[in-house]
């Protein structure tokens, strides 16, 4: 697979203090991920510095808690309705064990993937109600079951939905609907999956009853969040950080046996998110794909170590069967894909007989990754006359939107923007394939199909040698610093490191024992390029290579880390630039009057400088700041535009006391429909670029206020710090990107 290499530069907001605290490599990655201040970075790296969000922030949560406590007091029977994937299983297990501990009368049910699908199945629902369910709590499902919820409510059963899937309009007619998607986009709880919602509900119940110990359930939370590929930012990241510590010493026999099994009894230290994603979660998911997922709930809640051992052995066998079935589907699909013109069609929507519906999601994910196309695979069940499909997407292409566009042709469907499922009558299958492929293709741009490799750390391998530096030790240091970013996963991926100009004499190429995998040996460290053994001769002929890789823990423990190669290319003329930054003098008039002699120099007062082609800068430029730029990026642009040798500080921040009036003006203009960023900027005095980011006044409380808060913090810093600290920031902003292997931001 060919990639376009995007070598990412350090953002202008980069704070050199982060480099001193975490190291230059980790600091650059933190800055690239939007963590510019020490407070933000510390809360990201250290969970002790993060302030957890109150559970009551979730809509309808307090109403749900009150109803559940009423059920406990009255001795009503509560039924948990979960889902068969790992998120649903861990959420169900968490609620079941927690509510039993709190004295609830509770039972649970999970649908069968093969015959019932996600959500509330009408037939099973009637069985549950007939068994005496008086309160129904759905977890990781329910948002798409308005009719079933209305039927339960009509029979006097209060339904509480605890879900995180796409919001329908209107919401289902439940007693309470707890869904983080009802929160603003920037809310800390927005990314919670089903198990996260279940934990927050449980946390509120423990608090209401004054009972300690809710943290003991965080082991399940970590497993469910990582397995559901939730975004590892904000509250999700915090819960996983805490949960991994709890998982390492879990008292659940099922989890303990499963952890020992996947690590071959060699587990030591704290498990990582990668251990969950690639070792533990597939075993838990396999049971729901090929059998009854209720067995997974039994595993996670049993107190019998022997029963746990038996279940884990069953799960491992099913996981192997799942792997073989997936390979079978991939072999058949690959033959069909070869006949497609993917450059024109841009999407894969295929169907086949004999496919196991439980493994289609895995196969679709592999194809979406391999071909950079959204992929939907549909298993035909001729006996039932139905097709059961599973899809996986690529960034920027919303599967749910495409499914909604063809909803009239479907029996059902829904999920996440990146992963979803559908059901279809076989008589409509051809029409569904055509319509869904067109909808998906319309959402794929050529840029999305061009595989971009975002490289966050760039190291000139040859330059390190010329400087006499130990290159292996340098990579060891990169790995050490990047471990501060753990847990890694969706929303916080393992950074890509590019080794540029790796000359033939400094690397030894070879292949694995059976010739399948290509390896690059850099001194005592090995980089593996999986399934690329046939490319050995091609790369041996190159005088120098660029190698893009990720640094991972060595599963065998033979070296501190191993490299997973993502892409290789012949080295071009790239080299680390030589940077000359002129010295910058600072003259500080923040607390004293500006002399008359300075009033004629080039002045920035909040407006664009008149630097067109007819404007000639003096030989030795002095720039006077009569107003602070809005953000560090604006200061960087100003400095790089003028390249001053002297910076005169005579500024004050924006008049923030006018902010309520400015916001009121924006909202009034928005209501009249006149949403022209340039007009709004002229009226309010706010930057038009900020206003252009908004789609309308409803985004003022989220996006715009976030910009304003960032600007206020920047202005406070400029008001309070020393001139030397401002000079240090400006010197940094005047540089091109300081590649970490060459330049230290200290």
């Amino acid at each position: 697979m060919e990639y376009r290499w995007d070598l990412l530069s350090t953002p202008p907001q980069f704070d050199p203090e982060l480099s001193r605290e975490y190291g230059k490599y980790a600091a650059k990655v933190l800055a690239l991920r939007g963590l510019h201040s020490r407070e933000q970075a510390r809360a990201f790296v250290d969970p002790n510095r993060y302030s957890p969000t109150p559970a009551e922030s979730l809509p309808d949560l307090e109403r749900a808690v009150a109803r559940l406590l009423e059920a406990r007091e009255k001795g009503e029977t509560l039924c948990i309705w979960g889902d068969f994937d790992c998120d649903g299983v861990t959420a169900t297990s968490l609620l079941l064990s927690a509510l039993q501990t709190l004295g609830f009368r509770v039972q649970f049910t999970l649908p069968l993937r093969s015959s019932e699908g996600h959500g509330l199945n009408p037939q099973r629902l009637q069985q549950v109600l007939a068994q005496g369910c008086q309160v129904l709590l759905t977890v990781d499902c329910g948002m798409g079951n308005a009719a079933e919820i209305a039927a339960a409510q009509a029979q006097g059963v209060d339904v509480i939905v605890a879900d995180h899937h796409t919001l329908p309009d209107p919401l289902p007619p439940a007693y309470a609907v707890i869904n983080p998607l009802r929160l603003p986009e920037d809310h800390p709880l927005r990314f919670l999956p089903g198990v996260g919602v279940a934990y927050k509900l449980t946390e509120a119940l423990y608090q209401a009853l004054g009972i300690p110990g809710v943290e003991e359930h965080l082991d399940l939370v970590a497993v469910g969040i990582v397995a559901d590929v939730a975004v590892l930012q904000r509250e999700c990241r915090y819960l996983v950080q805490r949960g991994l510590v709890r998982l390492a010493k879990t008292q659940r026999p099922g989890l303990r046996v499963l952890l020992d099994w996947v690590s071959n009894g060699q587990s030591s230290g704290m498990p990582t998110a990668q251990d969950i994603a690639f070792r533990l979660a597939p075993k838990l998911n396999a049971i729901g794909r090929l059998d009854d997922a209720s067995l997974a709930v039994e595993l996670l809640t049993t107190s019998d170590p022997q029963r746990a051992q038996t279940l884990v052995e069953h799960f491992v066998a099913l996981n192997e069967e799942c792997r073989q079935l997936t390979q079978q589907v991939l072999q058949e699909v690959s033959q069909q894909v070869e006949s497609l013109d993917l450059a024109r069609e841009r999407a894969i929507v295929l169907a086949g007989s004999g496919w196991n519906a439980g493994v289609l999601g895995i196969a679709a994910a592999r194809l979406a990754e391999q071909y950079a196309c959204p992929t939907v695979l549909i298993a035909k069940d001729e006996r039932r006359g139905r097709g059961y499909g599973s899809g996986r997407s690529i960034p920027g292409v919303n599967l749910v939107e495409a499914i909604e566009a063809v909803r009239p042709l479907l029996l059902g469907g829904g999920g996440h923007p990146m992963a979803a499922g559908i059901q279809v009558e076989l008589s409509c299958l051809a029409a569904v394939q055509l319509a869904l492929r067109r909808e998906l293709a319309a959402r794929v741009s050529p840029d999305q199909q061009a595989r971009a490799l975002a490289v966050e750390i760039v190291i000139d391998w040859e330059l390190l040698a010329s400087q006499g530096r130990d290159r292996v030790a340098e990579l060891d240091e990169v790995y050490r610093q990047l471990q501060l970013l753990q847990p890694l996963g969706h929303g916080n991926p393992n950074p890509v490191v590019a080794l540029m100009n790796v000359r033939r004499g400094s690397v030894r190429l070879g292949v694995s024992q059976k010739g399948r995998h290509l390896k690059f040996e850099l001194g005592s460290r090995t980089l593996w390029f999986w399934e690329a053994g046939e490319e050995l001769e091609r790369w041996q002929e190159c005088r120098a290579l660029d190698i893009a890789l990720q640094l991972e823990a060595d599963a065998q423990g033979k070296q501190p880390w191993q490299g997973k190669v993502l892409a290789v290319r012949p080295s071009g003329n790239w080299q680390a630039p030589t940077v000359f930054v002129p010295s910058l003098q600072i003259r500080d008039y923040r607390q004293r009057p500006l002399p008359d002699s300075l009033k004629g120099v080039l002045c920035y007062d909040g407006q664009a400088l008149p630097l067109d082609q007819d404007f000639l800068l003096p030989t030795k430029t002095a720039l006077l700041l009569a107003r602070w730029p809005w953000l560090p990026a604006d200061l960087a642009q100003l400095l790089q535009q003028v390249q001053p040798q002297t910076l005169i500080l005579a500024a004050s921040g924006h008049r923030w006391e006018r902010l309520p009036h400015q916001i009121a003006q924006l909202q009034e203009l928005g209501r009249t429909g006149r949403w022209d960023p340039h007009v709004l900027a002229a009226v309010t005095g706010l930057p038009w670029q900020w206003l252009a980011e908004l789609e309308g006044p409803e985004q003022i409380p989220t996006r715009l206020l976030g910009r304003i808060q960032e600007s206020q913090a920047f202005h406070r810093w400029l008001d309070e710090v020393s001139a030397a600290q401002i000079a240090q920031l400006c010197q940094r902003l005047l540089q091109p990107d300081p590649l970490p292997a060459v330049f230290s931001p200290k």
Side-chain angles (χ1 to χ4, degrees):
M1 175 63 65
E2 296 296 327
Y3 286 96
R4 182 187 76 243
W5 294 41
D6 292 340
L7 307 182
L8 303 183
S9 59
T10 303
Q13 300 95 324
F14 179 84
D15 183 353
E17 290 298 324
L18 295 183
S19 179
R20 283 187 273 276
E21 190 157 348
Y22 302 114
K24 58 187 177 184
Y25 300 110
K28 180 183 178 183
V29 175
L30 288 168
L32 284 169
R33 298 185 182 179
L35 302 163
H36 304 303
S37 70
R38 278 182 289 178
E39 292 73 19
Q40 290 174 318
R42 285 170 176 171
F44 184 86
V45 171
D46 182 1
N48 293 319
R49 302 252 187 176
Y50 180 86
S51 298
T53 307
E56 294 76 16
S57 301
L58 285 166
D60 280 2
L61 186 129
E62 292 183 272
R63 178 174 169 83
V65 167
R67 182 64 184 92
L68 291 173
L69 292 177
E70 179 186 348
R72 176 179 180 270
E73 183 178 346
K74 293 180 178 179
E76 293 177 309
T77 298
L78 169 67
C79 181
I80 303 166
W81 188 304
D83 195 35
F84 42 68
D85 68 4
C86 199
D87 183 24
V89 162
T90 51
T92 302
S93 301
L94 188 158
L95 286 170
L96 182 64
S97 55
L99 294 177
Q100 287 175 338
T101 300
L102 296 177
F104 283 80
R105 292 182 58 187
V106 59
Q107 57 194 32
F108 80 96
T109 189
L110 297 181
L112 296 173
R113 181 193 290 263
S114 58
S115 58
E116 296 173 301
H118 295 275
L120 305 183
N121 176 272
Q123 290 74 32
R124 184 183 287 255
L125 177 60
Q126 290 308 312
Q127 294 173 6
V128 168
L129 298 183
Q131 292 168 1
C133 171
Q134 294 165 286
V135 179
L136 180 62
L137 172 58
T138 77
V139 63
D140 195 33
C141 63
M143 294 307 297
N145 296 110
E148 291 81 5
I149 290 171
Q153 292 278 159
Q155 296 181 51
V157 175
D158 285 330
V159 180
I160 297 171
V161 174
D163 198 3
H164 69 120
H165 291 95
T166 305
L167 300 176
D169 186 16
L171 293 176
Y175 183 87
V177 178
I178 311 169
N179 189 319
L181 294 184
R182 298 178 65 187
L183 296 167
E185 289 186 4
D186 60 349
H187 196 281
L189 301 183
R190 174 82 177 191
F191 299 138
L192 289 180
V195 71
V197 177
Y199 179 77
K200 283 297 179 181
L201 177 58
T202 302
E203 183 180 69
L205 287 169
Y206 272 71
Q207 289 174 351
L209 294 169
I211 298 175
V214 69
E215 296 83 6
E216 71 183 39
H217 303 293
L218 283 171
D219 51 0
L220 293 175
V221 177
V223 173
I225 288 178
V226 174
D228 205 54
V229 199
V231 178
L232 293 184
Q233 297 175 14
R234 308 175 193 169
E235 202 83 5
C236 278
R237 175 176 175 81
Y238 169 77
L239 292 174
V240 172
Q241 285 173 311
R242 292 294 195 202
L244 288 172
V245 176
R246 183 69 58 171
L247 182 61
K249 51 186 179 182
T250 182
Q251 299 301 305
R252 301 177 195 272
L255 268 183
R256 185 75 271 153
V257 172
L258 189 57
L259 283 169
D260 290 343
W261 187 284
V262 299
S263 62
N264 295 319
Q266 299 177 355
S267 179
S268 61
M270 192 171 72
T272 66
Q274 288 74 22
D275 292 331
I276 294 174
F278 300 111
R279 298 182 178 185
L280 195 150
K283 310 297 186 297
L284 286 173
N285 271 324
I287 192 71
R289 295 184 187 281
L290 303 180
D291 203 333
D292 187 346
S294 297
L295 293 174
V297 175
E298 182 185 357
L299 174 71
L300 297 177
T301 57
T302 184
S303 58
D304 181 354
Q306 188 58 48
R307 177 58 177 162
Q309 183 71 34
T310 301
L311 286 170
V312 166
E313 291 174 3
H314 179 48
F315 287 15
V316 171
L318 282 177
N319 186 58
E320 177 59 26
E321 182 182 352
C322 186
R323 189 188 65 79
Q324 294 175 3
L325 290 171
T326 302
Q327 195 59 35
Q328 173 190 332
V329 172
L330 285 171
Q331 289 175 353
E332 293 185 26
V333 171
S334 297
Q335 297 173 4
Q336 298 184 52
V337 171
E338 293 302 320
S339 64
L340 301 177
D341 182 2
L342 293 180
R344 179 177 61 85
E345 297 193 15
R346 299 186 182 180
I348 299 171
V349 183
L350 298 173
S353 299
W355 295 351
N356 188 294
V359 303
L360 294 185
I362 304 174
R366 300 261 184 90
L367 294 169
E369 169 68 21
Q370 182 178 355
Y371 295 104
C373 288
T375 301
V376 178
L377 302 179
I378 303 169
K380 294 190 287 187
D381 187 336
E382 281 83 1
R383 184 174 62 84
R384 291 193 177 99
R386 292 190 173 189
Y388 300 90
S390 189
R392 296 294 184 270
S393 194
I394 60 177
V397 180
N398 191 314
L399 264 180
V400 174
E401 287 182 357
I403 288 172
E404 289 301 321
V406 301
R407 173 74 64 180
L409 298 174
L410 303 175
L411 290 171
H416 304 291
M418 294 291 289
I422 61 172
Q423 290 186 35
V424 58
E425 291 278 5
L426 290 186
S427 58
C428 297
L429 180 58
V432 168
Q433 287 182 260
L434 178 60
L436 189 53
R437 184 164 54 243
R438 286 177 175 173
E439 288 294 334
L440 289 170
R443 291 166 169 78
V444 180
S445 69
D447 287 343
Q448 286 168 311
Q449 280 195 293
R451 304 298 297 276
L453 193 64
V455 179
E456 294 178 283
I457 295 175
V458 184
I459 296 177
D460 189 326
W461 199 245
E462 190 63 22
L463 184 60
L464 281 180
S466 69
Q467 295 175 338
R469 295 162 68 178
D470 185 329
R471 293 179 289 190
V472 170
E474 193 75 17
L475 282 182
D476 289 346
E477 177 61 17
V478 174
Y479 178 72
R480 185 195 68 78
Q481 290 184 25
L482 295 188
Q483 294 314 292
L484 297 172
L485 305 179
Q486 291 279 4
L488 300 168
H490 181 47
N492 182 42
N494 193 357
V496 177
V497 180
L499 307 182
M500 315 293 282
N501 298 326
V502 180
R503 301 294 173 89
R504 185 186 299 168
S506 62
V507 60
R508 185 166 66 250
L509 276 69
V511 294
S512 60
Q513 188 172 5
K514 296 183 179 180
R516 287 180 58 192
H517 312 303
L518 183 63
K519 65 178 178 179
F520 301 83
E521 293 181 291
L522 299 172
S524 59
R525 304 289 180 262
T526 302
L527 319 179
W528 286 100
F529 198 176
W530 307 115
E531 304 296 339
E534 71 280 359
E535 298 184 27
L536 174 63
E537 185 175 344
R538 172 190 177 188
W539 300 122
Q540 280 180 326
E541 294 174 353
C542 293
R543 296 180 59 186
L545 300 172
D546 297 340
I547 305 173
L549 68 147
Q550 292 172 320
L551 306 181
E552 300 179 336
D554 182 10
Q556 306 300 321
K558 296 180 179 179
Q559 51 187 353
W561 53 267
Q562 67 177 13
K564 176 186 176 183
V565 176
L566 305 176
V568 182
R569 69 181 186 183
S571 292
N573 296 322
W574 184 93
Q575 60 181 7
T578 300
V579 177
F580 171 74
V581 179
S583 61
L584 183 67
Q585 295 181 348
I586 299 288
R587 298 176 66 178
D588 191 358
Y589 291 93
R590 286 175 295 175
Q591 305 297 329
R592 51 199 176 108
L594 189 68
D596 291 339
S597 60
L598 294 176
K599 292 182 178 178
V601 301
L602 185 64
C603 175
Y604 172 79
D605 62 0
Q607 304 298 319
L609 293 173
L611 298 182
D612 56 31
Q613 56 185 347
D614 298 322
F615 184 91
L616 298 177
L617 288 173
T619 304
K620 294 184 178 180
T621 305
L623 175 63
L624 187 151
L625 295 183
R627 176 72 61 83
W628 294 134
W630 293 98
L631 293 170
D634 302 308
L635 177 58
Q637 183 178 10
L638 187 63
L639 292 171
Q640 291 168 1
Q641 185 181 29
V642 179
Q643 294 285 315
Q645 294 184 358
T646 301
L647 189 67
I648 303 165
L649 308 179
S652 59
H654 183 72
R655 292 174 56 192
W656 298 112
E657 67 272 11
R658 296 183 58 241
L659 184 59
H661 175 66
Q662 292 169 314
I663 297 299
Q665 284 181 300
L666 283 177
Q667 291 174 328
E668 179 62 29
L669 289 170
R671 282 193 289 269
T672 64
R674 292 179 292 172
W675 196 263
D676 183 320
H678 292 280
V679 173
L680 296 172
V683 172
T684 65
L686 294 170
W688 73 267
Q689 295 92 335
W690 293 4
L691 302 172
E693 294 175 351
L694 310 182
E695 297 176 2
E698 66 279 357
Q699 293 186 324
I700 290 173
T702 54
R703 291 190 180 182
L704 180 59
L705 290 185
R707 287 286 197 184
I708 290 171
Q709 290 167 356
E710 186 179 357
S711 183
Q712 288 175 320
F714 181 48
H715 287 190
R716 282 196 300 271
W717 185 84
L718 290 169
D719 286 337
E720 296 170 1
V721 299
S722 68
Q725 288 174 292
I726 294 177
Q728 184 183 50
L729 173 65
C730 292
Q731 290 288 139
R732 166 66 187 83
L733 297 176
L734 278 166
Q735 294 181 358
D737 178 43
L739 297 171
V742 186
F743 307 106
S744 170
K746 293 183 180 180

